[in-house]
């Protein structure tokens, strides 16, 4: 005889979006049911496919629909990060081994049955050649405990993500950015089943992820997929002259190095037959200057030059939080620091609510006599409130205070489009006549003053 508890679990599993057993929650996505895990007040689902594996004939094609499933799929561990050569000095080392089959998403939500929660979607950085959603400091659990749903996902990198060649038709080139669009569409279609509000979505990215946010803000294809955006160390929004022609030249050079001529009628098949390691071909953050790789380029249709789109007013006019670290790449006049300021002013001139920040806090255990400020990407564990994961036993009270402060601003912004809240210094918008900037200081406190 079936117990009343088993009957209840079966009943809940049959209801779209329902949480089943206490220790093994099940959500029925549009593609099939997934089982997550509950811990410390958070329900987490990891490794949910949002597109078909981009392997074999699907290498260098736009992401395709995932094959649906009926049996409950385990979603308690990260899937593989996308194919790459890991970078030994990466500030956020991968938690999984890279593979070409990598288009998976993760979701964290507060335990309980709350619905229509604000949603934050994380896009990782890594120069478009490294990175993934599995690093422990990218966990969305701490932010989820603040009353939001957090989602992350993987997108193709390096030559798998950005590649053009005369033999590949259609010439999409930016497969990694197309993956990001596919993930955002998956969020739109599924996040309500996890308790999130598909009409209250904030996209956030750092470095290459910040550049991706620029791309989504200016892409006609991303219209309506998010309602606000956070750009962390994402540059000035310019593609700096990159084009499909430059991408194709890089692709031809790479293929020629593998013995595949530009006019070979079998070029596409031969390129897709290359082992994944040969496509990587030693490319990572330490070797980006080598030939045969272009990085993302605008195609003029799905993706355009963001800076040009901003100037023309052709972009999603949603609230934006933007900034950089105090010792970011390029220094005070570089594309990260000066670029964030310039974009903030430009977007504000288009009547967009913009909040500009500078992250100057350095973890206690990371301070040396040579420290001049917060380095590139060092802000992420504080925005995610995962400093204790990053620094372990060396985490100080000041580190915890800094993480609580900046993450509260972020969560407030995700919830309402305004980072301000009770107990926090008032952070004003950038306007035509005022340029306030919030600084997370060396003491871990927030100060707002004119820039």
């Amino acid at each position: 005889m079936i117990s009343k508890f088993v009957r209840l679990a079966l009943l809940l599993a049959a209801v779209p979006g329902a949480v089943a057993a206490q220790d093994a929650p099940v959500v029925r996505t549009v593609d099939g049911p997934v089982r997550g895990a509950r811990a410390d007040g958070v329900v987490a689902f990891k490794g949910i496919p949002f597109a078909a594996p981009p392997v074999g004939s699907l290498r260098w094609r736009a992401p395709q629909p995932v094959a649906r499933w009926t049996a409950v799929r385990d979603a308690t561990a990260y899937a593989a990060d996308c194919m790459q050569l890991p970078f030994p000095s990466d500030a956020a080392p991968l938690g999984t081994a890279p593979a070409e089959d990598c288009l998976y998403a993760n979701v964290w939500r507060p335990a309980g049955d709350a619905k229509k929660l604000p949603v934050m979607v994380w896009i990782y950085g890594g120069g478009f050649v490294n990175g993934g959603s599995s690093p422990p400091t990218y966990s969305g659990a701490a932010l989820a405990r603040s009353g939001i749903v957090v989602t992350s996902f993987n997108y193709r990198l390096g030559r798998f993500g950005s590649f053009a060649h005369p033999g590949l038709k259609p010439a999409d080139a930016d497969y990694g950015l197309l993956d990001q669009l596919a993930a955002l569409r998956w969020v739109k279609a599924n996040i309500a089943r996890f308790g999130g509000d598909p009409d209250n979505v904030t996209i956030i990215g750092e470095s290459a992820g910040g550049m991706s946010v620029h791309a989504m803000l200016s892409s006609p294809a991303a219209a309506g997929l998010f309602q606000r955006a956070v750009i962390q160390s994402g540059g000035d929004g310019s593609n700096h002259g990159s084009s499909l022609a430059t991408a194709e030249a890089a692709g031809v050079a790479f293929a020629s190095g593998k013995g595949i001529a530009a006019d070979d009628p079998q070029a596409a098949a031969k390129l897709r037959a290359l082992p994944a390691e040969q496509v990587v071909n030693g490319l990572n953050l330490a070797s980006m200057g080598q030939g045969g790789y272009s990085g993302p380029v605008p195609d003029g249709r799905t993706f355009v030059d963001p800076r040009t789109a901003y100037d023309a007013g052709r972009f999603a006019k949603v609230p934006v939080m933007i900034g950089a670290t105090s010792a970011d790449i390029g220094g005070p006049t570089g594309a990260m620091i000066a670029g964030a300021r310039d974009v903030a002013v430009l977007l504000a001139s288009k009547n967009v609510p913009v909040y500009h920040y500078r992250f100057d806090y350095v973890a206690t255990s990371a301070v040396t006599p040579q420290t001049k400020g917060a380095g590139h990407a060092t802000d992420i564990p504080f925005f995610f409130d995962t400093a204790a994961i990053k620094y372990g036993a060396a985490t100080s009270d000041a580190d915890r205070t800094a993480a609580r402060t900046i993450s509260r601003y972020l969560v407030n912004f995700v919830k309402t489009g305004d980072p301000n809240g009770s107990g926090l210094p008032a952070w004003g918008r950038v306007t035509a006549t005022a340029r306030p900037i919030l600084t997370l200081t060396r003491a871990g406190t927030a100060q707002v003053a004119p820039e």
Side-chain angles (χ1 to χ4, degrees):
M1 182 174 181
I2 299 176
S3 75
K4 64 179 181 180
F5 299 107
V6 173
R7 286 198 300 271
L8 177 60
L10 292 173
L11 177 63
L12 288 173
V15 178
V19 174
Q22 287 296 311
D23 296 327
V26 173
V27 166
R28 193 172 297 276
T29 74
V30 296
D31 299 308
V34 292
R35 179 184 293 110
R38 185 188 309 270
D40 301 324
V42 173
V43 179
F45 299 83
K46 300 174 181 176
I48 308 170
F50 67 85
V55 301
S57 64
L58 296 186
R59 180 189 284 177
W60 295 313
R61 294 191 191 279
Q64 299 299 304
V66 67
R68 294 187 172 183
W69 64 92
T70 56
V72 177
R73 181 187 181 104
D74 182 74
T76 59
Y78 292 111
D81 291 309
C82 286
M83 193 64 195
Q84 62 192 281
L85 176 63
F87 180 54
S89 300
D90 200 325
L94 301 181
T96 69
E100 205 171 347
D101 177 3
C102 64
L103 299 184
Y104 298 88
N106 316 294
V107 180
W108 294 263
R109 58 149 294 143
D113 58 0
K115 305 296 183 185
K116 296 184 75 70
L117 294 170
V119 179
M120 185 187 102
V121 181
W122 167 245
I123 308 174
Y124 56 79
F128 294 106
V129 296
N130 286 121
S133 64
S134 70
T137 52
Y138 295 170
S139 168
L143 295 180
R145 277 190 284 270
S146 297
I148 65 174
V149 174
V150 179
T151 303
S152 64
F153 60 86
N154 293 333
Y155 61 91
R156 280 173 282 182
L157 300 165
R159 295 184 188 88
F160 298 96
S162 301
F163 190 77
H165 189 277
L168 294 173
K169 302 295 180 185
D172 286 312
D174 283 334
Y175 305 100
L177 291 179
L178 289 171
D179 294 341
Q180 295 180 21
L181 275 177
L184 291 176
R185 289 172 180 142
W186 182 89
V187 169
K188 187 75 169 179
N190 286 280
I191 208 63
R193 295 165 180 254
F194 294 89
D197 184 352
D199 297 318
N200 189 6
V201 175
T202 299
I203 58 173
I204 170 174
E206 188 273 340
S207 196
M211 296 174 193
S212 298
V213 173
H214 282 303
M216 297 302 141
L217 279 167
S218 56
S219 173
L225 295 179
F226 57 92
Q227 287 66 49
R228 53 193 66 97
V230 181
I231 303 169
Q232 300 175 283
S233 302
D236 62 4
S238 172
N239 276 305
H240 303 289
S242 297
S243 66
L244 279 174
T246 60
E248 191 166 278
V252 167
F254 168 77
S256 297
K258 300 299 179 184
I260 303 171
D263 58 355
D264 187 337
Q266 299 300 314
K270 291 179 179 179
L271 284 165
R272 291 189 171 109
L274 289 173
E277 292 77 9
Q278 289 192 28
V279 177
V280 175
N281 206 42
L283 178 66
N284 68 5
L285 280 168
S287 60
M288 286 180 66
Q290 69 172 347
Y293 175 66
S294 64
V297 297
D299 60 14
R301 307 182 317 275
T302 307
F303 303 108
V304 300
D305 181 84
R307 192 59 179 256
T308 301
Y310 294 158
D311 285 332
R314 295 190 298 267
F315 63 95
K317 296 177 178 64
V318 300
V320 172
M321 181 191 298
I322 186 169
T325 61
S326 59
D328 220 321
I329 296 170
T333 61
M336 299 301 175
I337 295 175
R341 180 196 63 232
D342 294 348
V343 171
V345 172
L346 175 56
L347 296 184
S349 74
K350 306 296 184 181
N351 298 315
V352 169
V354 179
Y355 298 90
H356 184 204
Y357 75 86
R358 184 76 42 77
F359 188 92
D360 191 36
Y361 183 76
V362 180
T364 302
S365 60
V367 175
T368 71
Q370 291 74 41
T371 299
K372 299 188 186 314
H376 186 70
T378 60
D379 54 336
I380 299 173
F382 297 91
F383 276 96
F384 270 74
D385 198 10
T386 54
I389 294 175
K390 171 69 175 177
Y391 299 104
T395 308
S396 67
D397 288 342
D399 296 341
R400 295 184 183 91
T401 297
R404 282 194 301 269
T405 299
I406 201 66
S407 66
R408 283 181 62 198
Y409 279 115
L410 174 61
V411 168
N412 290 341
F413 184 78
V414 169
K415 288 179 176 179
T416 68
D418 185 333
N420 291 290
S422 176
L424 295 172
W427 182 3
R429 291 165 46 176
V430 177
T431 68
T433 57
R435 296 184 182 180
I437 182 170
L438 178 139
T439 300
L440 191 72
T441 70
R442 298 291 178 89
T445 59
Q447 292 182 356
V448 180
E451 187 174 25

